[in-house]
Amino acid sequence: MSEQYKLTYFNAKAAAEPIRYLFALAEVKYEDIRIEKPDWPALKPKTRWEQLPFIEINGQEFAQSVSIARYLARKYGFIGDSPLESLAADEIIDTFMDIRPLSRAVFLDQNLIKRAELTKKFFDNSLTPFLVKLNELKVVNGGKWLVGQKITYADIYAAHMLPSYEFLLPTALDEYPALKAVQQSVFSIPQIKAYIEKRPVTAS
C-alpha cells in the first residue's frame, strides 16, 4: 500500500516549503493542509509536539521540518548516492539551520535603523562566511548541484533559503554565481516550476 501523506502548516512558505518542493519533485500526492494563525492555538495541544509543520503518514504524526524533508529525500532518492554524499547534504542543511535564527531576528525587527545594523552584523559575521564556503563547495563539486552529480535535498534547501537573503539585501548573491546557478537549476525543474506556478500567493 502506498503511503498517504497529510502535511499541515500555516498558509505560508517558510519551514514547510522545502517539503512541498520534495513532494513536487518526487511527483507524490499529498494533502497540503494550510491553516491560518488564529486557528493554531486550538490545534496546538492536539499535536504530537505542539509544532508546525507536522506530517501524517498513514495516520501517524511526525514533526520537525528537516526530519520530514530528510525522510522524503531518503525515500524518494534525493539524499545522495553514498553515505558520504548524504552526510555532505546533511551538513549543508544543518548549517542553513544554524544561521536561520539569526536571519529571523533581522526579519522580525521593525525598527528600520536597528534592522539595518542587524543586517550588516548578520552578513559580516555569519552569512558572508557561509556563502563563501558554500560557493566554494559548489565550484569544487562541479556540475549543477552542491553534492554529487544528482539533485539532493541540500539543493532544495539552498534554492528555498537563498532568496530570503536577497530580500534583506538585493545584491546578497551577486558574488556567488555558483549558488545562483543552483537556485536557477532547482526552480527550472518542470515539477517544481509547475508547483510554484499554482501554489497560493502568500506574504512569506
Side-chain angles (χ1 to χ4, degrees):
M1 183 180 73
S2 61
E3 281 78 4
Q4 301 296 311
Y5 297 110
K6 293 183 180 180
L7 176 66
T8 300
Y9 191 59
F10 296 117
N11 186 25
K13 303 178 188 73
E17 203 67 357
I19 299 168
R20 297 178 182 130
Y21 286 153
L22 283 163
F23 275 125
L25 183 61
E27 298 182 279
V28 171
K29 292 182 179 180
Y30 70 105
E31 189 174 350
D32 186 13
I33 301 171
R34 295 169 180 253
I35 69 169
E36 299 301 327
K37 289 186 177 180
D39 299 326
W40 175 229
L43 176 61
K44 184 176 180 178
K46 301 175 184 178
T47 65
R48 184 174 183 173
W49 297 110
E50 299 190 348
Q51 293 182 359
L52 290 176
F54 66 84
I55 193 169
E56 296 169 79
I57 305 175
N58 295 334
Q60 191 170 358
E61 182 183 314
F62 301 92
Q64 294 294 341
S65 60
V66 176
S67 296
I68 296 167
R70 186 178 295 119
Y71 165 82
L72 294 173
R74 183 179 294 114
K75 183 170 180 63
Y76 297 108
F78 305 116
I79 202 159
D81 285 340
S82 70
L84 278 179
E85 287 189 4
S86 298
L87 176 60
D90 288 342
E91 176 189 44
I92 290 169
I93 291 168
D94 289 342
T95 308
F96 270 116
M97 294 303 103
D98 284 346
I99 65 175
R100 186 170 66 171
L102 302 175
S103 63
R104 181 173 172 78
V106 178
F107 278 112
L108 292 178
D109 199 295
Q110 299 300 311
N111 184 309
L112 294 181
I113 295 176
K114 186 177 178 183
R115 185 172 180 176
E117 295 172 351
L118 288 173
T119 298
K120 185 178 187 307
K121 183 178 179 181
F122 171 59
F123 272 78
D124 290 349
N125 297 340
S126 301
L127 186 62
T128 297
F130 170 58
L131 293 179
V132 168
K133 292 176 182 178
L134 189 60
N135 196 75
E136 289 174 355
L137 282 176
K138 168 61 178 64
V139 172
V140 170
N141 187 56
K144 293 173 64 175
W145 310 113
L146 291 168
V147 177
Q149 299 307 307
K150 296 183 194 175
I151 187 171
T152 69
Y153 79 137
D155 302 297
I156 295 292
Y157 266 88
H160 171 63
M161 297 295 293
L162 292 173
S164 66
Y165 307 142
E166 291 180 300
F167 179 83
L168 289 175
L169 183 66
T171 59
L173 301 182
D174 285 0
E175 296 182 23
Y176 313 106
L179 299 184
K180 294 182 78 169
V182 170
Q183 180 181 322
Q184 291 165 0
S185 293
V186 170
F187 290 149
S188 66
I189 295 171
Q191 302 97 299
I192 293 180
K193 187 176 180 181
Y195 162 73
I196 291 172
E197 289 173 351
K198 69 180 183 181
R199 71 186 174 189
V201 177
T202 59
S204 61

